Amino acid sequence: MTFEEQSFVPMLFGGDINTYSVARAFYEQYGVKSHVFGKYANGPSCGSKITVYHANEAIDTDKIFMKAVRTFSKRNPDKKILAIGCGDSYVALISKHKNEFPGNVIAPYIDYDLMNSLQQKELFYQLCEKHGIDYPDTYIYKKDDYPANGNPEAPELSFPYPVILKPSNGINYWEHPFDTQEKVYLIEDENRMKSVIRDIYEAGYTDSLIIQDTIPGNDEYMRVLTSYSDRNGKVKMMCLGHVLLEEHTPHGKGNHAVIITEPNEELMTKVKALLEDINYIGFSNFDIKYDKRDGKYKFFEINTRQGRSNYYVTGSGFNVAKYFVEEYINGADLPYEEAREEHLWLVVPKKVALKYVHDPVNKEKLERLLEEGKFVNPVFMKGDDDPVRNMRMMKQHVSHFKKYKQYYE
């Protein structure tokens, strides 16, 4: 099937593995190339044979974003255009401006006010309370708590150090970069707490900080849940993954590196009820950790989009592009489905995965799925063989040996 035979074209926004994973899903299911709009001429989608890449450092600003959408719409007047965000800021832009889009542009997202509230982690925890979903013991540090003299006091916490600190508003946080900026902080004591709070607010961040009890256990206690809700707010697909390994670099901390698909009915039932209660639309993605102290699964946040590791869903047999196309292009009434078969997704070399996954049961699963060929690395697609891109991707791939040796604890 060729691009010319399709009535639609994907317009993806972002530059990392998320865009390539979605583009690969579109290409494998429908034979269509995605147009990817990112900030820089790098990443897995740049130079790919299954994408057309457009680089613009200001693509994440309102004016340039809307100009790109309108220009692309005019160049493809006979196509339906699926506008899909592959990062929080791009999803927010689509939701914010969707009522201004040309008639042939489709934005499968919730309204901006709901999206903005869900991306504030403290408001997500209120929803968790309502639906009996567990989350870590949490302290909210408000911007108003930060003193004008720039010398904050460490808050009094009901849980011990070390603690986790992260921004409530990730979009606003990354808009104000600074030298020591990290995605998530492990805070060892009060002095470190005061220093990190000062760094964040002096850089210009304007929202709250989330300070949480540190749940014990390594990466192998993590889970990731991806769901798709149709335009009527009904959940149509759920895929739960058992995370065996994450990245540990300062800017990549918490990014998934190895996942095995593994269902859990109790977790999925609770999340389904939450999503349908708020009439959620589109993909959602949850980060979860098992707490061995009380035997509960603790939810950290909701991402109002498919996660960067979304190809674990496609690799499990639930192609993420299919849900957009079948509902919004073909008008299908989607059935409800769940991923139940084990499948392995990894973005690090096999030797790295085998070295840093420690639990014997998990390691046995990892070895077995590798031996059975039930695994995928989303970045390396057969036939997408541009030599310059492949050299760049392979260099990044093998760099994980050094990164884990340096950062993994």
Side-chain angles (χ1 to χ4, degrees):
M1 188 174 290
T2 63
F3 168 67
E4 288 74 21
E5 294 172 345
Q6 296 292 357
S7 63
F8 68 92
V9 55
M11 188 181 191
L12 312 183
F13 292 91
D16 66 2
I17 193 174
N18 195 324
T19 61
Y20 187 79
S21 297
V22 176
R24 179 171 174 176
F26 271 108
Y27 191 81
E28 290 177 332
Q29 187 79 19
Y30 300 103
V32 60
K33 285 188 177 183
S34 297
H35 284 252
V36 179
F37 293 76
K39 297 186 74 170
Y40 308 109
N42 56 21
S45 291
C46 184
S48 167
K49 291 184 177 181
I50 67 170
T51 68
V52 179
Y53 194 82
H54 309 261
N56 188 322
E57 291 188 20
I59 191 63
D60 59 348
T61 62
D62 294 77
K63 182 179 178 180
I64 301 302
F65 168 80
M66 281 303 300
K67 182 180 179 181
V69 172
R70 289 177 176 136
T71 300
F72 193 70
S73 171
K74 288 180 181 178
R75 290 177 179 171
N76 297 275
D78 58 335
K79 303 284 186 184
K80 291 181 179 179
I81 297 167
L82 284 164
I84 299 171
C86 299
D88 290 335
S89 60
Y90 297 110
V91 170
L93 280 168
I94 295 171
S95 180
K96 181 180 178 181
H97 293 291
K98 65 179 183 175
N99 294 329
E100 307 166 43
F101 285 175
N104 65 331
V105 180
I106 298 168
Y109 292 98
I110 53 177
D111 290 338
Y112 182 69
D113 288 344
L114 175 57
M115 179 175 289
N116 194 45
S117 66
L118 288 174
Q119 289 185 348
Q120 314 298 310
K121 293 179 178 64
E122 57 192 287
L123 298 177
F124 169 64
Y125 297 139
Q126 293 174 14
L127 282 172
C128 288
E129 290 277 357
K130 180 179 178 181
H131 290 276
I133 293 175
D134 297 297
Y135 61 94
D137 290 343
T138 300
Y139 180 95
I140 308 297
Y141 187 97
K142 301 284 188 180
K143 174 65 166 65
D144 291 344
D145 297 335
Y146 187 72
N149 64 9
N151 292 311
E153 293 296 324
E156 294 186 10
L157 305 174
S158 60
F159 41 90
Y161 287 91
V163 299
I164 297 296
L165 184 148
K166 56 192 175 184
S168 177
N169 186 332
I171 296 174
N172 181 260
Y173 176 69
W174 290 111
E175 287 174 345
H176 299 90
F178 53 95
D179 289 343
T180 58
Q181 191 172 33
E182 297 186 23
K183 185 178 179 181
V184 178
Y185 297 84
L186 180 65
I187 307 295
E188 302 86 359
D189 53 39
E190 290 190 355
N191 287 333
R192 171 70 169 153
M193 174 73 74
K194 290 187 284 188
S195 174
V196 170
I197 290 174
R198 184 184 304 111
D199 287 346
I200 292 173
Y201 283 117
E202 291 301 317
Y205 178 66
T206 60
D207 214 322
S208 302
L209 297 174
I210 305 295
I211 302 170
Q212 291 182 322
D213 179 30
T214 300
I215 298 176
N218 63 10
D219 301 347
E220 298 173 65
Y221 287 81
M222 295 296 299
R223 304 294 188 276
V224 55
L225 175 60
T226 301
S227 301
Y228 180 82
S229 302
D230 69 12
R231 69 178 86 202
N232 298 313
K234 298 299 180 183
V235 174
K236 295 298 184 178
M237 185 278 296
M238 305 192 87
C239 183
L240 183 68
H242 183 173
V243 180
L244 301 188
L245 192 63
E246 296 181 337
E247 293 184 30
H248 288 264
T249 61
H251 279 203
K253 192 179 297 181
N255 288 338
H256 304 139
V258 180
I259 299 171
I260 293 178
T261 302
E262 180 183 284
N264 181 309
E265 282 299 325
E266 182 181 358
L267 282 186
M268 295 158 79
T269 299
K270 287 183 178 181
V271 171
K272 187 172 184 287
L274 182 153
L275 292 170
E276 293 186 348
D277 180 46
I278 62 175
N279 203 39
Y280 187 87
I281 294 171
F283 276 100
S284 54
N285 178 263
F286 300 83
D287 289 322
I288 309 160
K289 189 171 187 179
Y290 178 73
D291 191 338
K292 61 185 178 182
R293 297 171 299 183
D294 56 14
K296 295 179 179 179
Y297 288 90
K298 308 289 177 70
F299 280 63
F300 292 133
E301 61 186 353
I302 178 175
N303 294 306
T304 54
R305 53 173 171 80
Q306 72 286 346
R308 74 188 300 277
S309 57
N310 67 80
Y311 203 87
Y312 91 88
V313 181
T314 298
S316 298
F318 300 84
N319 185 291
V320 296
K322 177 186 72 175
Y323 299 94
F324 292 123
V325 174
E326 295 309 310
E327 182 175 15
Y328 288 93
I329 305 300
N330 297 334
D333 183 12
L334 300 171
Y336 175 74
E337 50 190 1
E338 296 177 356
R340 295 193 169 276
E341 299 295 324
E342 285 185 339
H343 192 270
L344 172 64
W345 171 99
L346 73 170
V347 292
V348 295
K350 297 173 189 176
K351 288 184 178 179
V352 170
L354 290 167
K355 179 176 181 179
Y356 292 100
V357 172
H358 300 305
D359 182 270
V361 174
N362 293 334
K363 197 158 190 173
E364 184 278 327
K365 287 182 182 179
L366 176 63
E367 292 172 339
R368 173 170 50 82
L369 291 170
L370 285 170
E371 185 176 337
E372 293 173 354
K374 295 180 180 178
F375 69 93
V376 67
N377 184 320
V379 172
F380 299 105
M381 175 184 168
K382 185 177 180 180
D384 193 5
D385 53 3
D386 177 81
V388 175
R389 175 193 177 272
N390 279 6
M391 183 67 70
R392 181 160 41 88
M393 291 299 98
M394 185 55 68
K395 182 178 179 181
Q396 184 182 69
H397 188 62
V398 299
S399 73
H400 287 295
F401 286 102
K402 181 179 179 181
K403 289 175 181 176
Y404 277 88
K405 184 176 182 180
Q406 180 177 357
Y407 292 108
Y408 185 86
E409 295 179 357

